[in-house]
Amino acid sequence: MNVLQNVAYTAKATATGGREGVAKSDDGRLNVNLSTPKGLGGDDGQGTNPEQLFAAGYAACFIGALKFVAGSEKIALPSDTHINSEVSIGAIEGGFGIAVKLAVSLGDMDKAAAQELLNKAHQVCPYSNATRGNIEVELSVI
């Protein structure tokens, strides 16, 4: 287990009502209605779901890791860098699990160089470090 050497920031949020409830951050910046997707027996409702929130968070965090690695190697990331992220949920032995796919666009960067950058970012990204060995994470350059 990795232990934080120091705490740079702590996000605080409260969820009520589970997949049919509400999630709010303590500072009021996040305030979302939650709903269950049809694939999990819901009606898709008017809200988001935990998998969408995780997909957005992982993608944003991974771009931060890419920026960190690129900066340390004096590489300029394209301004249109983006990640199409997918978080799938399904049955595993004894319960449910998730799998992640991150399809990363680094513009016209050489594909081999881009893949190397992804691999390095995967080693420093907090989401990658939190999930490593626990879920399948597929990285690809698009």
Side-chain angles (χ1 to χ4, degrees):
M1 173 174 55
N2 291 323
V3 176
L4 296 179
Q5 296 172 359
N6 65 346
V7 175
Y9 170 75
T10 299
K12 296 179 183 179
T14 301
T16 57
R19 288 183 171 273
E20 301 296 327
V22 175
K24 298 178 182 180
S25 62
D26 67 330
D27 62 6
R29 293 179 185 182
L30 176 74
N31 186 351
V32 295
N33 292 321
L34 303 171
S35 61
T36 303
K38 287 183 181 179
L40 294 176
D43 63 4
D44 276 339
Q46 295 297 309
T48 188
N49 60 65
E51 292 73 33
Q52 290 171 324
L53 294 169
F54 191 80
Y58 201 155
C61 190
F62 201 87
I63 289 174
L66 285 167
K67 288 180 177 180
F68 175 82
V69 171
S72 69
E73 297 189 5
K74 311 277 191 274
I75 298 170
L77 286 182
S79 60
D80 61 346
T81 295
H82 65 275
I83 296 177
N84 299 326
S85 61
E86 297 179 12
V87 173
S88 301
I89 185 171
I92 60 171
E93 188 174 330
F96 296 92
I98 60 172
V100 173
K101 292 181 181 180
L102 300 177
V104 183
S105 174
L106 293 170
D108 59 1
M109 183 182 289
D110 174 77
K111 297 291 187 203
Q115 187 64 52
E116 186 176 331
L117 196 63
L118 263 64
N119 294 342
K120 290 177 180 178
H122 193 44
Q123 295 305 307
V124 300
C125 175
Y127 275 61
S128 295
N129 287 329
T131 60
R132 185 170 288 107
N134 296 310
I135 67 169
E136 181 181 354
V137 176
E138 179 183 314
L139 302 174
S140 63
V141 176
I142 55 173

